[in-house]
Amino acid sequence: GEDVEQSLFLSVREGDSSVINCTYTDSSSTYLYWYKQEPGAGLQLLTYIFSNMDMKQDQRLTVLLNKKDKHLSLRIADTQTGDSAIYFCAESNQAGTALIFGKGTTLSVSS
Amino acid sequence: DVKVTQSSRYLVKRTGEKVFLECVQDMDHENMFWYRQDPGLGLRLIYFSYDVKMKEKGDIPEGYSVSREKKERFSLILESASTNQTSMYLCASSLFGAGNEKLFFGSGTQLSVL
């Protein structure tokens, strides 16, 4: 079945870049997603990339997709303390009816 | 902005109780979902619904049922709560199939079963 893997923790200093990595199994997913969960809140869509793209940039966020290796990454430039959160990578299930989420990467930003 | 509202932020129930978790969305979305979130396990799909009175099992439906009598409301039911159902429950909705549409999440219900 589908599976999405990501590392559980990342710790960076304020102003540094953060890179969160994800691997997925289902290459039929049309889009791949990054969701952000702040403490005490539900998830919010942060960004997404169409599977035919290699890269997408959105202000401080850069998403890289290596379809051959089924590897997705999220780079946050100039990381701020407000970026501290859990970041989830997600892909569609094979039926295209629901999203499969990774376990989430907890990003901790120290000043 | 789309709003997905979960009726309770925290719930404490006893083993064996019947528990209802309610979720309401205000944007006329077709699809609604229930996930549970556990530390180290991420989000796991329990059930989803793509239309009124329709439901589909997700990855971990055992011990749960759902009800969707109206488009805007999707209820998760624990027929006989057990301690291993202590978790954060997240409701979400999307306009069409979730594969290519973004999900909108509620703030979650932290359920403790004692």
Side-chain angles (χ1 to χ4, degrees), chain A residues 61-101:
Chain A
L61 305 178
T62 303
V63 179
L64 295 178
L65 175 60
N66 181 328
K67 225 180 162 184
K68 174 175 164 288
D69 294 337
K70 295 182 184 173
H71 183 265
L72 182 73
S73 68
L74 173 70
R75 179 176 180 269
I76 305 172
D78 188 25
T79 312
Q80 303 298 307
T81 53
D83 295 324
S84 293
I86 305 175
Y87 292 81
F88 292 90
C89 172
E91 63 165 349
S92 307
N93 63 3
Q94 283 197 337
T97 51
L99 291 186
I100 306 297
F101 289 85

Side-chain angles (χ1 to χ4, degrees), chain B residues 16-76:
Chain B
E17 276 193 80
K18 189 168 186 175
V19 181
F20 292 85
L21 302 184
E22 306 288 347
C23 175
V24 176
Q25 49 96 1
D26 66 357
M27 280 299 290
D28 203 34
H29 281 176
E30 303 288 332
N31 304 292
M32 297 187 75
F33 307 83
W34 277 106
Y35 288 87
R36 64 177 279 178
Q37 181 179 13
D38 300 288
L41 296 177
L43 271 72
R44 293 178 290 166
L45 181 64
I46 305 171
Y47 266 98
F48 63 99
S49 167
Y50 51 86
D51 201 353
V52 174
K53 296 193 188 294
M54 305 300 288
K55 60 184 179 184
E56 292 282 343
K57 291 180 181 178
D59 298 317
I60 51 162
E62 297 79 17
Y64 303 94
S65 62
V66 290
S67 171
R68 190 149 180 221
E69 296 297 317
K70 292 185 178 181
K71 193 174 187 180
E72 67 270 19
R73 186 179 296 270
F74 192 35
S75 303
L76 180 69

